[in-house]
Amino acid sequence: MGVHKRLSSLVEEAGANVGDVNAKAAAIVAAYCEVADENWSLFTFHMLTLHRFLPHYREDGRDPVTVVERVLKQAMMDCEIPPADPTVLAAMVIGVVIQTAQNTVYGRIDSRLTTHAPLMTKAVQAILFAR
């Protein structure tokens, strides 16, 4: 679960230490890419087996999904993005990165995740404002 905690910390920092919601989206995408690219094998293992370990993992509100949900809730309260269900919205924006990573695992994409961070960031930003 080390990669999970590292990702949680980076996502939490990214969501807290930058300006508006667009900057936060870029920083959070970059955090996911950083963790993935620094140890692809470990990230891949984490991504593909996480569902097996979550029942035994004590969530403390600092997991990546909850952190993203909080960032989105705050952005809605600050009227930066239109209202929506933050749980669904978080799943959608995280899915942009995770699905890209999965396709890399499956050999459909042949490059580091960071290479695609700008496009993933634009996709996440589009999701944030799509209503």
Side-chain angles (χ1 to χ4, degrees):
M1 295 309 286
V3 70
H4 190 70
K5 288 183 181 187
R6 172 140 167 71
L7 181 59
S8 296
S9 293
L10 286 175
V11 169
E12 189 168 46
E13 288 171 25
N17 294 330
V18 296
D20 68 1
V21 72
N22 284 317
K24 290 178 189 311
I28 290 170
V29 169
Y32 268 89
C33 292
E34 178 182 336
V35 170
D37 289 348
E38 72 186 7
N39 189 335
W40 180 247
S41 296
L42 185 59
F43 181 80
T44 299
F45 176 78
H46 170 261
M47 178 180 59
L48 298 177
T49 61
L50 181 62
H51 61 281
R52 293 182 185 183
F53 299 104
L54 283 180
H56 310 290
Y57 178 71
R58 284 214 161 142
E59 294 292 345
D60 57 3
R62 295 190 62 224
D63 62 282
V65 175
T66 303
V67 171
V68 170
E69 287 173 359
R70 269 199 311 270
V71 167
L72 296 174
K73 285 178 191 176
Q74 188 63 53
M76 286 177 221
M77 290 182 351
D78 294 343
C79 298
E80 286 188 86
I81 59 174
D85 182 332
T87 304
V88 173
L89 201 56
M92 292 170 67
V93 299
I94 293 169
V96 167
V97 178
I98 296 301
Q99 190 61 46
T100 304
Q102 284 181 343
N103 275 279
T104 303
V105 171
Y106 301 153
R108 298 179 62 100
I109 300 171
D110 185 25
S111 61
R112 296 169 52 88
L113 213 53
T114 304
T115 304
H116 308 288
L119 182 57
M120 289 188 288
T121 297
K122 293 289 186 194
V124 166
Q125 291 166 342
I127 290 167
L128 294 178
F129 293 95
R131 307 281 189 287

